Amino acid sequence: EISGKATAEVALEEMLAKVEKTWEDQELIVNPYKDNKDVFIVGSVEDITVALEDSLVTISTIAGSRFVGPIRDDVEKWQKDLMLFQETLDEWLNVQRNWMYLESIFGAGDIKKQLPTESAKFMEIDGTWRSIMRETQQYPVARIACTKPGRLDIFKSANETLDQIQKQLEDYLLSKCVAFPRFFFLSNDELLEILSQARRPQAVQPHLRKCFDNLVKLRFSEGANSQDIYGMISGEGEEIPFSKMLKARNNVEKWLSSDGGVEERMVSTLRDVTRKGWKDYAVTPRKDWVRDAYCQVCITVGSIYWTLESEQVLLLEEKSKIVQAMGKWLKKNKEQLQGLTELIRDKLTGLQRKGVVALVTQDVHNRDIIEKLYTDKITSIQNFQWQQQLRYYWDETLDDCCIKQVDAFIMYGHEYMGALSRLVITPLTDRCWMTITG
């Protein structure tokens, strides 16, 4: 019995010695941060994590043995140290993750100015972090670094502060999104990339595609930091000059907004070119007008005049002549469609061709509607077969384009769509429009 007990005690001592040996020379991997020789971060801890889990299992096994008596104090000390090691390492890595995220943000002067309190708190933690990492780089023994008295409390406090800073940062980003709601389409990192370069307006260019439907680039005057914006460019390369030059001044959410910014200038410019297109359509041969108009203007103004001419037929005082007039209007629709077909065969630029193709798709749909009205002998503007159509108008009182469908009345948004392309318009498309407007 005595021999068995002694043998068991020796086996436990050997297990404990093996744990001690493991941590004698186990070091943390410390790497330079962003090629900076004076700033360091902890590298991969995979090996240390595996060794730590194995050691904790071994120590628990030893502590649970009835033969642990002679080495109980040593085992309890190791158990306490390894638990502290594990908790400290977790907090350490959490601090590092938060510090790396916020360091790139508060490294930008613009963010520092806009969040001075949070910046001051971060800089305090930043100094502590750099000091601890320099010390660790000089003496990287893992057990010593992770069980140093007070270090766990430092990391816990740092994590609490960093969480507060991150919460304030999110509130700050939310305030920017509220000021310019299209920022909600961007991730926090993308928005921070813009805000951290607030003094460089052109930094917003890569993110415009997510904020607007098809405004993907702004035409700035020459110069990397130019603030003068002269126009907008679509993904297809169509460019529409702004009706008035815009200055990218003040906060980015301000000069992008609908309150005197890019969004407002986009809307007012499209309203202006649509108004001009509406006036020119009446006095210019249709093929020439299509060739010269912007793609979106072709679609919008084409819809306005199609609605106008259709209702002129339906509003004839002599009801007996409406069906005959509708037949003539159907013939004109077909002739206009034939004219566009001939235009496609002409020498056109890529953008002109896109505009003509989109207009052909729309005209085919419109022709089918008129053919149905003619076939069914519809003679009233109040007939549901006409009322269910998506109808565009230029309201001279409002001096703007509006859309009607059944009881819905919607002001045209003038969102820049660029060189629209549309495969086909089907009866299902009509039903979708009616569901949306209803």
Side-chain angles (χ1 to χ4, degrees):
E1 183 184 340
I2 294 172
S3 174
K5 182 180 178 183
T7 301
E9 289 175 356
V10 168
L12 294 179
E13 288 173 359
E14 288 176 350
M15 290 169 70
L16 181 60
K18 186 177 178 182
V19 170
E20 292 173 346
K21 180 69 175 173
T22 298
W23 296 107
E24 271 181 12
D25 54 0
Q26 185 78 266
E27 294 185 349
L28 289 167
I29 298 173
V30 180
N31 299 324
Y33 179 62
K34 291 183 177 178
D35 299 323
N36 191 325
K37 294 181 180 179
D38 297 323
V39 185
F40 304 93
I41 57 172
V42 176
S44 172
V45 294
E46 187 176 344
D47 292 342
I48 287 179
T49 302
V50 171
L52 183 58
E53 289 174 353
D54 290 346
S55 296
L56 282 168
V57 170
T58 302
I59 290 296
S60 295
T61 302
I62 297 172
S65 172
R66 62 193 178 89
F67 302 109
V68 73
I71 57 172
R72 184 182 299 279
D73 290 345
D74 290 342
V75 170
E76 288 178 351
K77 183 178 185 306
W78 267 100
Q79 195 167 32
K80 182 180 177 182
D81 283 353
L82 290 175
M83 293 297 289
L84 175 63
F85 186 140
Q86 186 177 49
E87 190 176 359
T88 302
L89 184 61
D90 288 344
E91 293 288 340
W92 195 329
L93 294 175
N94 200 20
V95 170
Q96 176 168 292
R97 185 164 49 251
N98 289 334
W99 175 83
M100 288 173 66
Y101 174 68
L102 293 171
E103 189 273 338
S104 60
I105 295 169
F106 287 102
D110 290 329
I111 298 291
K112 280 185 181 179
K113 288 180 181 177
Q114 294 171 62
L115 294 169
T117 304
E118 288 71 26
S119 177
K121 288 180 181 178
F122 177 77
M123 295 313 294
E124 185 179 341
I125 291 174
D126 181 70
T128 304
W129 169 262
R130 291 171 187 248
S131 174
I132 289 174
M133 289 309 303
R134 277 195 297 270
E135 180 184 326
T136 305
Q137 192 268 338
Q138 292 167 4
Y139 192 69
V141 176
R143 183 187 164 211
I144 302 300
C146 289
T147 57
K148 184 174 181 178
R151 184 155 288 178
L152 175 60
D153 292 334
I154 290 172
F155 285 145
K156 280 185 174 180
S157 175
N159 270 322
E160 287 177 7
T161 304
L162 290 172
D163 285 344
Q164 291 171 6
I165 293 172
Q166 205 147 338
K167 174 67 169 59
Q168 291 299 319
L169 182 63
E170 287 173 1
D171 290 345
Y172 167 71
L173 295 179
L174 179 61
S175 71
K176 297 294 183 181
C177 290
V178 169
F180 182 58
R182 291 173 187 254
F183 276 158
F184 280 113
F185 294 122
L186 302 179
S187 68
N188 282 355
D189 288 346
E190 289 168 330
L191 182 50
L192 283 165
E193 185 180 336
I194 293 172
L195 297 173
S196 64
Q197 303 178 75
R199 286 174 293 183
R200 187 173 157 265
Q202 297 190 34
V204 79
Q205 297 272 46
H207 308 289
L208 289 172
R209 188 182 294 269
K210 285 190 176 181
C211 294
F212 294 90
D213 201 300
N214 199 10
L215 192 166
V216 302
K217 194 174 180 183
L218 294 169
R219 174 64 66 198
F220 283 86
S221 60
E222 292 183 8
N225 294 315
S226 171
Q227 295 183 338
D228 301 338
I229 307 175
Y230 288 94
M232 54 189 173
I233 303 171
S234 74
E236 301 80 21
E238 181 185 62
E239 181 173 348
I240 299 183
F242 282 156
S243 50
K244 184 180 178 184
M245 188 265 287
L246 175 68
K247 285 277 188 184
R249 290 174 176 164
N250 302 314
N251 294 334
V252 63
E253 71 275 13
K254 176 67 176 173
W255 63 261
L256 280 174
S257 75
S258 58
D259 183 17
V262 168
E263 184 176 348
E264 187 275 333
R265 200 56 49 86
M266 171 189 74
V267 170
S268 62
T269 296
L270 276 171
R271 185 185 295 115
D272 290 345
V273 296
T274 303
R275 184 191 300 111
K276 182 178 183 302
W278 172 69
K279 290 178 179 178
D280 291 347
Y281 187 97
V283 295
T284 310
R286 193 169 194 253
K287 286 205 287 188
D288 294 338
W289 178 85
V290 169
R291 196 189 289 269
D292 295 336
Y294 295 112
C295 296
Q296 187 168 345
V297 173
C298 276
I299 298 298
T300 308
V301 174
S303 297
I304 291 171
Y305 272 94
W306 176 79
T307 301
L308 175 66
E309 294 187 63
S310 297
E311 294 197 345
Q312 283 174 346
V313 172
L314 291 170
L315 288 170
L316 286 174
E317 290 184 6
E318 295 185 50
K319 297 293 183 184
S320 59
K321 293 185 178 180
I322 290 179
V323 175
Q324 183 183 357
M326 189 66 73
K328 291 179 180 179
W329 173 222
L330 173 60
K331 183 181 178 184
K332 184 177 178 181
N333 271 252
K334 291 178 179 178
E335 289 171 353
Q336 288 179 341
L337 196 52
Q338 181 61 34
L340 292 179
T341 306
E342 293 169 1
L343 185 58
I344 286 178
R345 300 194 189 103
D346 286 354
K347 189 174 181 180
L348 301 173
T349 65
L351 287 172
Q352 286 174 330
R353 191 169 299 279
K354 283 178 181 289
V356 174
V357 170
L359 193 56
V360 165
T361 304
Q362 180 169 283
D363 278 6
V364 167
H365 179 64
N366 291 343
R367 178 206 62 195
D368 292 344
I369 293 171
I370 298 303
E371 191 165 29
K372 187 84 166 68
L373 295 175
Y374 175 65
T375 303
D376 293 349
K377 295 181 170 52
I378 303 302
T379 59
S380 171
I381 199 171
Q382 298 302 325
N383 190 286
F384 184 74
Q385 202 161 311
W386 173 249
Q387 288 293 312
Q388 72 176 337
Q389 306 305 328
L390 197 67
R391 309 182 311 279
Y392 286 67
Y393 300 85
W394 186 266
D395 189 312
E396 295 189 59
T397 304
L398 299 172
D399 194 28
D400 205 347
C401 177
C402 58
I403 300 167
K404 296 179 183 178
Q405 187 173 38
V406 194
D407 329 352
F409 177 89
I410 304 165
M411 294 305 298
Y412 186 66
H414 297 289
E415 176 77 18
Y416 183 42
M417 308 294 288
L420 296 168
S421 60
R422 182 180 281 161
L423 181 62
V424 69
I425 305 173
T426 68
L428 178 59
T429 315
D430 290 333
R431 287 196 291 273
C432 289
W433 284 334
M434 194 146 42
T435 301
I436 293 167
T437 59

